[in-house]
Amino acid sequence: MSRNRIDKIPATEITPKSVHDDRRDFIRKLGVGLIGGIAASSGLFQDASATSSDRQKITSYRKSSYGHEETTTPYEDITSYNNFYEFGTSKSDPAASASRLITMPWTISIEGQVRKPKILGFDDLLRLAPLEERIYRMRCVEGWSMVIPWIGLPLADLIKWAEPTGNAKFVEFVSLDNPAMMPGQNLHVLDWPYTEGLRMDEAMHPLTILAVGLYGEVLPKQNGAPVRLVVPWKYGFKGIKSIVKIRFTEHMPVSSWMKANPREYGFYSNVNPSVDHPRWSQATERRIGDGLFAKRRKTMLFNGYAEQVGQMYSGMDMRKYF
Ligand code: MTE
């Protein structure tokens, strides 16, 4: 079967009508982006007007039952202090130059150990499940943390739709590879494209989401538009941005960071205050927004999600499988 076959699924086949209508409403309200994207694909109009300061509301999503006890990090911090090496290695580079990323139209290729390889359009993705807000603690391996009100859908819904075969034991994710739009890709800081992976049970876990927005708005480009992974019990680098490929594999994928430095970055990368990075302690963190002179906070095992995810790693030596 052709790998490039576009599997157009009627939305009514996979979602109840009311949800489908809501979703159509959301897609309609994404209007500017979609119209820009369609025009861009026809060559009539490049989406050059979109800048990282363009903000579009997502009007149709469920409020979360997650994370309301936390104070969320200010929008300005979440969108100006980023790691997105495709746009440069400093924290301010992504906000400064991600505007050149064209995110509409967008497709995700579903490949590998699946019954039928498919190409999923961004609008098809939005039809797979209702969007929901998830307020998650995020912990970067470098020692800072944020609390981000994401909007997304469970990765599990995409996986069920993709119909992986019994041989699918891992999921590999690949970011866009496009040095013309991503100037940082002209530097060999990582082996491009950025690649990440999860074990199948981690990918299916209800906390694991594909995020398409934050703070009630369409995901800013510097945060990984139009769709990125969010796995709140792992270090932030597992949260791969601007995903164009999801491949189901029998063997553990090798991520960009594992390739770059296998001694420092393992496959699991679960947040763990008692397993130090070879060059620094992971016991504490600086919460962005607390102020430079605020006391560092204690980092929690699995970033505080141990009750939900701990059992997936019971009996596993977390020093060996870091
Ligand atoms: N995804 C891609 N494609 N490229 C990157 O450089 N950086 C990772 C992760 N995803 C990165 C990426 C790292 S190191 C972190 S901490 C988070 O994105 C940061 O996400 P944020 O900028 O939205 O906070």
Side-chain angles (χ1 to χ4, degrees):
M1 185 173 306
S2 158
R3 298 182 99 186
N4 291 327
R5 194 169 73 86
I6 297 188
D7 235 54
K8 278 282 170 204
I9 30 159
T12 42
E13 240 173 52
I14 49 174
T15 36
K17 185 162 181 322
S18 58
V19 177
H20 167 236
D21 288 348
D22 274 2
R23 211 78 43 70
R24 276 186 28 169
D25 199 38
F26 167 60
I27 292 166
R28 204 169 40 241
K29 281 167 182 149
L30 267 175
V32 182
L34 279 182
I35 292 164
I38 290 162
S41 69
S42 68
L44 292 174
F45 164 65
Q46 286 293 309
D47 201 8
S49 60
T51 69
S52 21
S53 58
D54 277 356
R55 294 173 63 164
Q56 296 169 326
K57 280 222 167 326
I58 298 175
T59 49
S60 178
Y61 63 92
R62 302 202 284 231
K63 279 286 175 190
S64 182
S65 47
Y66 290 84
H68 286 290
E69 67 286 356
E70 298 270 358
T71 305
T72 52
T73 305
Y75 179 90
E76 290 65 32
D77 291 327
I78 297 173
T79 57
S80 65
Y81 192 81
N82 300 103
N83 276 333
F84 200 167
Y85 279 19
E86 284 88 334
F87 294 102
T89 52
S90 102
K91 298 283 179 279
S92 56
D93 287 339
S97 58
S99 60
R100 26 175 127 184
L101 176 66
I102 296 171
T103 56
M104 297 285 174
W106 195 268
T107 56
I108 304 175
S109 173
I110 312 288
E111 309 181 354
Q113 296 291 339
V114 283
R115 285 188 220 300
K116 288 180 275 167
K118 300 174 179 96
I119 306 270
L120 186 69
F122 184 70
D123 50 347
D124 298 325
L125 175 76
L126 298 179
R127 288 191 196 107
L128 291 178
L131 293 178
E132 188 181 315
E133 183 177 65
R134 300 282 182 95
I135 301 171
Y136 284 160
R137 278 182 297 276
M138 305 301 298
R139 169 65 157 80
C140 181
V141 73
E142 295 164 298
W144 46 271
S145 64
M146 299 192 189
V147 177
I148 304 186
W150 300 108
I151 294 180
L153 55 121
L155 176 61
D157 285 303
L158 179 141
I159 295 177
K160 285 179 217 146
W161 172 80
E163 295 186 71
T165 68
N167 290 333
K169 305 281 190 292
F170 295 89
V171 189
E172 182 183 54
F173 303 85
V174 183
S175 292
L176 182 67
D177 191 5
N178 188 325
M181 288 199 270
M182 299 173 136
Q185 285 185 332
N186 295 306
L187 307 170
H188 295 284
V189 278
L190 286 174
D191 187 12
W192 310 113
Y194 196 98
T195 303
E196 258 307 337
L198 292 174
R199 210 171 60 187
M200 197 58 147
D201 57 341
E202 299 175 323
M204 289 294 291
H205 194 281
L207 284 177
T208 305
I209 60 165
L210 288 172
V212 298
L214 61 83
Y215 265 116
E217 297 179 4
V218 171
L219 199 61
K221 293 181 181 183
Q222 59 270 39
N223 292 92
V227 52
R228 58 91 57 85
L229 183 69
V230 177
V231 196
W233 71 94
K234 292 181 180 284
Y235 291 114
F237 66 84
K238 297 293 286 184
I240 180 171
K241 298 175 167 181
S242 305
I243 299 168
V244 295
K245 199 179 285 182
I246 297 181
R247 187 186 294 127
F248 294 86
T249 64
E250 195 169 352
H251 303 291
M252 183 181 284
V254 180
S255 70
S256 300
W257 284 108
M258 290 164 74
K259 247 187 236 169
N261 198 335
R263 210 176 71 82
E264 299 193 357
Y265 304 103
F267 176 80
Y268 287 96
S269 298
N270 292 316
V271 176
N272 190 336
S274 52
V275 177
D276 289 338
H277 184 278
R279 289 183 282 137
W280 59 83
S281 158
Q282 291 292 21
T284 64
E285 65 201 52
R286 179 169 73 87
R287 177 69 53 88
I288 304 291
D290 276 356
L292 271 187
F293 303 106
K295 209 167 151 268
R296 291 176 69 90
R297 297 170 182 242
K298 282 203 165 105
T299 289
M300 293 182 281
L301 179 60
F302 297 113
N303 205 21
Y305 299 98
E307 207 179 296
Q308 292 97 316
V309 304
Q311 178 230 325
M312 285 194 288
Y313 310 101
S314 63
M316 196 170 103
D317 179 350
M318 307 253 288
R319 281 179 192 282
K320 187 167 170 208
Y321 299 103
F322 57 96

